Structures are given as C-alpha cells and as structure tokens.
Amino acid sequence: MRTICLYFEIHQIIHLKRYRFFDIGTDHYYYDDYANETGMNEVAERSYIPALNTLIEMAKKSEGAFKVALSISGVALEQLEIHAPAVIDLLHQLNDTGCCEFLCEPYSHGLSSLANEDCFREEVLRQRDKMKQMFGKEPKVFRNSSLIYSDEIGGMVASMGFKGMLTEGAKPVLGWKSPHYVYHCNQAPSLKLLLRDFKLSDDISLRFSNSEWAEYPLFADKYISWIDALPQEEQVINIFMELAALGMAQPLSSNILEFLKALPECAKAKGITFSTPTEIVTKLKSVSQLDVPYPMSWVDEERDTSSWLGNILQREAFNKLYSVAERVHLCDDRRIKQDWDYLQASNNFRFMTTKNTGIWLNRGIYDSPYDAFTNYMNILGDFIKRVDSLYPIDVDNEELNSLLTTIKNQGEEIADLQKEVAKWQNKAEKEAVKAAKMVAAKKEPATKKPVKKATTRPKKTAKNEE
C-alpha cells in the first residue's frame, strides 16, 4: 500500500548583535535579544500556533489514520521555552494524540557533521536525551541540519543506534533512481534512508501561493492525484519541509491550512495512507544502497554544502570556529557551551554566501556577506579568547589530545564501574528482600491446634457418693 511520510522542521536562528572590533575582550554577550524575541513571537503567531493546531485537529479527526513527524533543534526549543511557551504546550498536545513522531537532529542545527565527529556525536546524543525527556520516547530516526548526508555521516549516525535517517532525493546522487523507495547507507546497511521528493515538497512550501505557477491554485484532490498517478511499485512518498512554510513562506490567507486539512480525506479515497518514518523503516525493506561520497543537502539547485562553505570567507570562519572544538569539548563552563551552540548554527555561515541563486536572501542586520563575515569574526575572536583563558593556546595539540584520551578513558572506566556498582546494588537489594522474608517467616508463631477447654465437673464428696 502506498504511504505518505509528512515531516516538518522547527528551527529559529539566534540573531547576533552588532559587535565591533573594540568590543573584543570587554563584551562577552553576542546576541540581539529584541530581534530574537520579536522574531520568535512573529513566527509563533503567524505559523507555529495555527499550524500545530491544524495538525492536532487532523490527528484527532482521523482517529489515528493521519501521521506526521517533527524535529526541533535544541536552540529552537530554548527560544520557544523563553518566548513562546504556548508552542511547547501544543507540541505536547500533538504528542498526546499518538500520531506524531519526534525525530532527532543536531542540538545547534549546525554543521559539526562536516567538521568534528566528537562534537557531532555529543550534540546529537544531547538532543536525543532532551527529546526523550520532553516527549517520553527516544528518537529512532535522525535528521541532520538541512538534510545534510554523506556515506561517512550515515556511518556515524548508524553507530549511535539510529534505525533510519532523512535526506534529500538529489538528482545528482539518484540519477535515474526514484526517491519513492527505501534505501540504505553503504557503510551501515542497518541504517535505512528516506529520500525527500523535492518537487512535491516544494509545490507546497515554495509554490503554493504563487499565482504565476502553472498549477495555481493547487487543491488537495489534484495534489493527491499526482501521487496516485505514480508507478504502482513506488510505495513511499516523502514530503519534507519547514513548519514555518505554513504561515510564513505561504501566508495563511492562501488557505494553505485548509489545503493541508483536506489531504487525509483525499488520500483515503485513493487508498493512500500516512506513516511515520519509524513505521516505514521498520516495515519496509531497502531496495538498494545509496552511494553519496560527498555531502548533499536540500538547499539550492546544487543540493550540496556550497551555501555554507562555498567561498573563502565561509571556510575561514568555519575552520576558525572548529579550531577550538577540542578545548570547548573539555570545558564545563555553561556560558561557553551555550555560546558554542549558538555560534555553530548554520545560518551564521549562510549569511556569508556570495552565491547568486536568483532568490533573495534575508541577511538580517547585515548589508553584505562581507559585513556578516566581519561581525561574526569579531564575535569569534572574543569567544576564542575566552576559551584560551581556560585552556591556553601554548598547550599544543599533542598534549591536548593526550589529555582528552586520558579523560575519555577515565570516563569509560567510571561508567563501567558505575554499571558494576548498580549491578551489585541490585543484587544486594534482592538479597535484603529475601533475608527480610526469611526473618518474617521465623517470627510468625507456629500454627497450633485449638485446645479444648476442660469441662468443669464437681468434685466427688461423700454426700454425692451416697
């Protein structure tokens, strides 16, 4: 049976403030709080709240037939908790319907998978724990920032225990193959891959309200008829987009939410179901491995990483940031850890792009990519000074690596000892319970037969004998 996998991403950028060269060493706060608050409130009111209410309504109305998946970056969750707690409440309500699967992604929504494996693992596992804490289930499927994927990244994701991963159905990679099948990572066959159908996804997220589009206006029955017309053997239709597309990129006045509400009924009429990513990777077998030697993403026509690392400015900032990755990994300063998450966010590098894609890019406070680079490097200069104050730069990489190895080995040894202690504590508790039962059994009086009371008879007397 043909099924639709509908997925939405929630991520909001952290706006950096204007930071001058002369601020380095004196000002350690890098963020525009007003822009962060107003930006989050705007997207919450115009998109997240009405969109999530619609998804909740669809889930309840369908009585379990409609399914959807969401992933939320850790930095977005932080901002939602501060500025838009109503969105958090709606996410819990959607989770309570049992029709939503929450996926895992890098905490920072950054590019660590392209730079440092230890950093990547740390933030992915941290985000997995946060999602389990918030929604009660440990994510089994992973989604990288901007659907970035390569063979090497797939191997890392599989080693962390994930069963599936979402990525882009990029033409340069697929060639003649269709994105409507389940594939698997060539380095780890256990990791199944779900590939985005970029045309069907972009029809909703990019073109829906465009009156010059040949298919405008798009109705739910027409959209489902396109899916129904696909070859019968193509069973999985992956439609992935940002949740902000519903209300921001496509205004609510375009009736985008009414279109979404009508999809389940139209799909049901054609015998098409909805499934979560975990349901698909559990039930369906892979048809082939996917070979992706170089990273791909869902951004721009090239579907590669050139939007973030395509010019010398971006690569200089990127390399400078991750030059202190080992030192940040060592420290336990909460402010530095938080700044590290925010400075890793991919949008910081996107603002520096010089690519001409034909699509206007909102650079926020920046007038040009060079302006974005200068501001970011000023902030990075101060951040690196703070990191160096904890772990001086005269400690060379060999010493640092030796220290990291020692700490890692000690951590593993402590973890093993904690498991051993837990094992013996559990055994001791069982023995204590057993001993308590034996003591209680000994204290109980033995069951005795009831003693009959002797009948009192009058003593014989001489008078009675007579």
Coordinates of all heavy atoms in Angstrom, one line a residue, residues 13 18 49 414 419 453 465:
I13 N 16.7 30.9 14.0 CA 18.0 31.4 14.2 C 18.2 32.2 15.4 O 17.2 32.8 15.9 CB 18.5 32.2 12.9 CG1 17.7 33.5 12.8 CG2 18.4 31.4 11.7 CD1 18.2 34.4 11.7
R18 N 25.3 43.7 16.6 CA 26.4 44.4 16.0 C 27.6 44.3 17.0 O 27.4 44.8 18.2 CB 26.1 45.8 15.7 CG 25.4 46.0 14.4 CD 26.3 45.8 13.3 NE 25.6 46.0 12.0 CZ 26.2 45.7 10.8 NH1 27.4 45.3 10.8 NH2 25.5 45.9 9.7
I49 N 1.7 28.3 15.9 CA 0.5 28.0 16.6 C -0.7 27.6 15.7 O -1.3 26.6 16.0 CB 0.1 29.3 17.5 CG1 1.2 29.4 18.6 CG2 -1.3 29.2 18.1 CD1 1.0 30.7 19.5
I414 N 34.9 5.0 34.6 CA 33.9 5.3 35.6 C 32.5 4.8 35.2 O 31.8 4.3 36.1 CB 33.9 6.9 35.8 CG1 35.1 7.4 36.4 CG2 32.6 7.3 36.5 CD1 35.3 8.9 36.4
K419 N 28.2 0.9 36.3 CA 27.4 -0.2 36.0 C 27.6 -1.4 36.9 O 26.6 -2.1 37.3 CB 27.7 -0.7 34.5 CG 27.3 0.3 33.5 CD 27.6 -0.2 32.1 CE 27.2 0.8 31.0 NZ 27.6 0.3 29.6
K453 N -11.3 -26.5 75.9 CA -11.4 -26.2 77.3 C -12.0 -27.4 78.1 O -13.1 -27.9 77.7 CB -12.3 -24.9 77.5 CG -11.7 -23.7 76.9 CD -12.6 -22.5 77.2 CE -11.9 -21.2 76.7 NZ -12.8 -20.1 77.0
E465 N -21.6 -39.4 96.8 CA -21.5 -40.8 96.6 C -22.7 -41.6 97.2 O -23.0 -42.6 96.7 CB -20.2 -41.3 97.3 CG -19.0 -40.8 96.5 CD -17.7 -41.3 97.2 OE1 -17.8 -41.8 98.2 OE2 -16.6 -41.0 96.6

